[in-house]
Amino acid sequence: MKQRIYRLLKKVINILFIFCIVFIIYIIIQFLLIANFKVISNSMYPELLKGDQVLVWKPALGPRVFNLLASIKGDQINIKRFPGFRNVQRNDVLVFNTPYPTWDNWDKIEMHISKYYVKRCIALPGDTLSIVEGIYQIHGSDLLVGNLESQQTIKWFNLSGDQNELFYIHPFDSILKWNIKEAGPMYIPQKDAVMPMTRENYLLYKRLIEWELQEPIYYQNDKVYIRDTVIEEFCFSHNYYFMGGDNSLDSIDSRYWGLVPDVFIVGKAYLIVNSTNPDNGKIRKNRFLKKIT
């Protein structure tokens, strides 16, 4: 009887050990190698559809290392990234953690591991970006970025009169009056870039600076302050990216909530591994293993 109980316990222990090993391997794979994410909106239509499951190969841009348990609890954490095989490029489709705690509150940048967007990279650190008649333009480059056909639909918008305010974009300023049709130029900060603290730069980069400093700043009497100290200029310690949805008229993206810090990027979306139509629950077989471009 004792031998039978011993054999049973040994078998249970072996099963638990194997389960633990498999679970650890799964976590390592998800943490450092691959992960899949569900597309929850049509903001990237037609390249991605609501219900697509996209695969991210993390070593391409470099996997991130951080305290996963603390992040799950909602704590703000330090994030490090291993070197990758390549850098982010314009027009890459990227998965990244949303820079804000809720979908409609853009007052303070925070990372929450369970919240993410899938968008296309429009502008890189060091780029200067403008929107001219709805079209993204990178200064000094002829490269077309984003979904040009979708952007061209904005060209014919009449933004005169009271309706103009409905199409205002970041920084939502009554003097700048940037909107989805005409905006910029806006510099996309890169690491070690030094920015003079003018009124316009304060409006554009306030949340980025507060996230880096982990302290609030404010504008008063034509000067920018942290506590009681005037900030004449600011040196950025991170790279930032401008993200846009391919479905320009139905995408809440960097036009509205601003730029994405480098450490928030999970990786490049390479492949659709599954797709389910959310309206009827049917599998979209024609999207299986479709490469994302």
Side-chain angles (χ1 to χ4, degrees):
M1 183 68 179
K2 290 183 178 179
Q3 289 182 345
R4 186 179 299 175
I5 295 174
Y6 174 77
R7 287 196 298 268
L8 180 61
L9 286 175
K10 186 176 180 181
K11 183 180 293 186
V12 170
I13 291 172
N14 287 337
I15 291 173
L16 289 175
F17 178 76
I18 293 171
F19 175 81
C20 290
I21 294 297
V22 170
F23 180 74
I24 291 171
I25 292 173
Y26 172 79
I27 292 297
I28 291 173
I29 290 173
Q30 288 282 316
F31 206 57
L32 299 178
L33 298 179
I34 61 173
N36 65 80
F37 298 85
K38 185 177 182 179
V39 178
I40 60 175
S41 76
N42 281 316
S43 68
M44 280 297 293
Y45 177 86
E47 183 62 31
L48 296 175
L49 304 181
K50 185 177 180 179
D52 285 349
Q53 292 272 357
V54 300
L55 178 73
V56 170
W57 174 242
K58 294 184 178 182
L61 302 182
R64 302 178 300 173
V65 177
F66 53 88
N67 187 328
L68 181 60
L69 295 179
S71 182
I72 291 174
K73 290 192 299 182
D75 297 340
Q76 294 307 295
I77 52 177
N78 292 321
I79 306 170
K80 301 294 183 182
R81 187 185 298 277
F82 287 123
F85 302 128
R86 65 191 287 276
N87 295 321
V88 174
Q89 299 174 9
R90 301 186 194 102
N91 282 323
D92 279 350
V93 176
L94 302 175
V95 176
F96 54 95
N97 295 112
T98 57
Y100 299 96
T102 63
W103 306 108
D104 56 356
N105 181 358
W106 306 328
D107 292 335
K108 180 182 179 182
I109 294 178
E110 292 181 0
M111 195 195 85
H112 295 269
I113 192 66
S114 62
K115 299 177 182 178
Y116 59 89
Y117 280 136
V118 183
K119 306 287 183 186
R120 192 177 298 276
C121 179
I122 301 299
L124 300 172
D127 284 346
T128 298
L129 176 70
S130 292
I131 301 177
V132 180
E133 294 192 323
I135 309 298
Y136 293 123
Q137 295 189 0
I138 307 294
H139 293 211
S141 173
D142 295 328
L143 178 68
L144 298 175
V145 286
N147 185 334
L148 183 61
E149 182 178 353
S150 176
Q151 295 168 47
Q152 286 173 332
T153 61
I154 300 173
K155 181 177 182 178
W156 309 110
F157 271 36
N158 181 4
L159 299 186
S160 61
D162 295 338
Q163 295 297 312
N164 190 30
E165 293 186 10
L166 298 176
F167 299 97
Y168 276 0
I169 62 173
H170 178 72
F172 301 99
D173 179 61
S174 59
I175 297 176
L176 291 178
K177 295 183 178 180
W178 287 6
N179 55 61
I180 61 172
K181 190 172 180 179
E182 301 289 339
M186 179 184 185
Y187 175 75
I188 314 300
Q190 63 181 348
K191 185 178 179 180
D192 298 327
V194 177
M195 186 72 64
M197 283 292 93
T198 62
R199 177 184 182 276
E200 181 174 325
N201 287 341
Y202 167 79
L203 293 172
L204 290 174
Y205 309 114
K206 174 180 183 291
R207 288 175 293 196
L208 308 183
I209 294 171
E210 289 181 336
W211 174 71
E212 290 200 4
L213 294 176
Q214 289 297 297
E215 288 195 63
I217 63 173
Y218 63 95
Y219 186 84
Q220 182 176 300
N221 299 325
D222 297 327
K223 295 184 183 298
V224 178
Y225 292 84
I226 177 171
R227 296 186 296 275
D228 296 326
T229 303
V230 175
I231 306 175
E232 299 286 350
E233 59 185 21
F234 183 77
C235 180
F236 289 95
S237 59
H238 285 267
N239 289 314
Y240 295 88
Y241 298 83
F242 189 103
M243 307 292 189
D246 283 0
N247 190 359
S248 299
L249 289 177
D250 191 20
S251 175
I252 303 299
D253 48 40
S254 285
R255 293 173 298 175
Y256 298 95
W257 39 253
L259 305 176
V260 177
D262 48 9
V263 293
F264 281 49
I265 297 174
V266 179
K268 183 180 183 298
Y270 278 95
L271 204 66
I272 298 172
V273 293
N274 190 23
S275 182
T276 303
N277 189 326
D279 295 329
N280 54 30
K282 293 183 178 180
I283 302 295
R284 302 184 183 110
K285 296 180 181 179
N286 63 324
R287 298 190 65 77
F288 180 63
L289 296 185
K290 179 182 181 292
K291 187 177 180 181
I292 299 170
T293 59

